[in-house]
Amino acid sequence: MSTSFFVAADWLIEHSDDPEIQLIDARMAPVGQEHRDMRAEYRAGHLPGAVFFDIEALSDHTTTLPHMLTRPEAFAVAMRELGISQDKHLVVYDEGNLFSAPRAWWMLRNHGVENVSILAGGLAGWQRDALPLQKGDVPLPESDFNANFDPHVVKKLTDVLLASHEGTAQIVDARPAPRFNGEVDEPRPGLKRGHIPGALNVPWVDLVVEGELKTTDELAAIFRRQGVDLHKPIIASCGSGVTASVVILALATLGASNVTLYDGSWSEWGARDDLPIETA
């Protein structure tokens, strides 16, 4: 394993009878694939015992911005209804591309769950090893879950504007380089091209190999090459706050401690007419 935040499929099999471990399926459709019914895909086959952690449904629907965090109280109620217990060891997985599992990992950790891991290789790795799948929903009894959310882990637009203008924090953008540089249109309609002034680009896909993070040496080299100082404050951003969590996971692996998330990300910044934008 590249980091302590991951567990392997063979470890999971060895602990399959452990009542203190809960499996969470956090598959999510990337932008441009919203037509996919992820709950139906979950029901068609998931790891045995895994409940479906629907990031879309667990988001704030009072805003037009995608995937924004909902209120801690609402999150806690949803976890209790799913049967997810904050006192257990939660193991999260996605399709196997490490696209959405880090977002679920980040959400759970920042709502007070101390022990959250990601399944290396995700569903794709599990299927490659010809391991068993279960169909249908997994109904669990209601659990105990009290959200202990730290609001300081999330930055708002005004915080990011100040960081961009004053240099009080490094803004690290996880979008692919062509989008960051303004060379291609954003996949979400109505957004401008480019990036937040002063932001540094660390594409999330550069941090990942076969459904887990690259080695710590490789990760450190990537951040260093892009000019990121791990000892200074960092605000992670992306298109909608999902793949920024991959950057946060990688930074946590490297021991960076002052790392926050701009949840509105480019979906908010790029939609405004009154904010500065840079291109390559």
Side-chain angles (χ1 to χ4, degrees), residues 195-253:
H195 59 262
I196 299 166
L200 305 169
N201 189 209
V202 180
W204 73 276
V205 292
D206 292 354
L207 305 171
V208 174
V209 59
E210 294 183 352
E212 60 182 305
L213 291 177
K214 292 180 178 177
T215 67
T216 51
D217 286 347
E218 290 172 311
L219 295 176
I222 291 167
F223 283 108
R224 187 167 55 247
R225 187 167 62 243
Q226 298 306 102
V228 180
D229 186 338
L230 303 184
H231 303 290
K232 294 181 179 178
I234 296 170
I235 301 171
S237 179
C238 59
S240 66
V242 174
T243 58
S245 301
V246 182
V247 168
I248 292 173
L249 177 67
L251 289 166
T253 297

Side-chain angles (χ1 to χ4, degrees), residues 157-217:
L157 187 148
T158 50
D159 302 319
V160 181
L161 185 61
L162 180 66
S164 170
H165 190 260
E166 302 291 341
T168 51
Q170 304 162 97
I171 301 165
V172 177
D173 191 323
R175 290 177 300 154
R179 289 169 59 189
F180 178 86
N181 292 325
E183 297 164 353
V184 298
D185 286 337
E186 283 292 303
R188 290 181 178 85
L191 300 183
K192 297 174 177 60
R193 293 186 179 193
H195 59 262
I196 299 166
L200 305 169
N201 189 209
V202 180
W204 73 276
V205 292
D206 292 354
L207 305 171
V208 174
V209 59
E210 294 183 352
E212 60 182 305
L213 291 177
K214 292 180 178 177
T215 67
T216 51
D217 286 347

Side-chain angles (χ1 to χ4, degrees), residues 39-251:
R39 187 173 292 277
E41 291 187 28
Y42 158 80
R43 287 173 175 151
H46 53 79
L47 270 65
V51 295
F52 186 52
F53 186 96
D54 189 341
I55 292 174
E56 194 66 59
L58 292 167
S59 301
D60 181 3
H61 296 289
T62 66
T63 173
T64 57
L65 297 173
H67 319 134
M68 296 287 284
L69 283 178
T70 188
R71 292 179 301 106
E73 300 81 8
F75 184 83
V77 168
M79 294 302 98
R80 289 197 289 269
E81 290 176 348
L82 281 173
I84 294 173
S85 172
Q86 68 193 112
D87 297 326
K88 294 190 176 183
H89 182 179
L90 306 183
V91 178
V92 184
Y93 69 90
D94 56 25
E95 289 188 285
N97 49 6
L98 205 63
F99 166 70
S100 55
R103 174 70 181 195
W105 167 88
W106 181 85
M107 291 169 72
L108 290 162
R109 275 168 54 97
N110 287 299
H111 282 89
V113 183
E114 292 186 8
N115 203 355
V116 189
S117 301
I118 295 173
L119 176 62
L123 179 65
W126 188 267
Q127 291 177 301
R128 268 196 308 272
D129 292 339
L131 295 169
L133 294 176
Q134 177 184 2
K135 293 187 177 182
D137 290 314
V138 176
L140 295 177
E142 188 165 310
S143 65
D144 292 325
F145 198 106
N146 297 302
N148 300 311
F149 184 71
D150 178 5
H152 296 102
V153 300
V154 177
K155 295 300 183 187
K156 301 185 183 302
L157 187 148
T158 50
D159 302 319
V160 181
L161 185 61
L162 180 66
S164 170
H165 190 260
E166 302 291 341
T168 51
Q170 304 162 97
I171 301 165
V172 177
D173 191 323
R175 290 177 300 154
R179 289 169 59 189
F180 178 86
N181 292 325
E183 297 164 353
V184 298
D185 286 337
E186 283 292 303
R188 290 181 178 85
L191 300 183
K192 297 174 177 60
R193 293 186 179 193
H195 59 262
I196 299 166
L200 305 169
N201 189 209
V202 180
W204 73 276
V205 292
D206 292 354
L207 305 171
V208 174
V209 59
E210 294 183 352
E212 60 182 305
L213 291 177
K214 292 180 178 177
T215 67
T216 51
D217 286 347
E218 290 172 311
L219 295 176
I222 291 167
F223 283 108
R224 187 167 55 247
R225 187 167 62 243
Q226 298 306 102
V228 180
D229 186 338
L230 303 184
H231 303 290
K232 294 181 179 178
I234 296 170
I235 301 171
S237 179
C238 59
S240 66
V242 174
T243 58
S245 301
V246 182
V247 168
I248 292 173
L249 177 67
L251 289 166

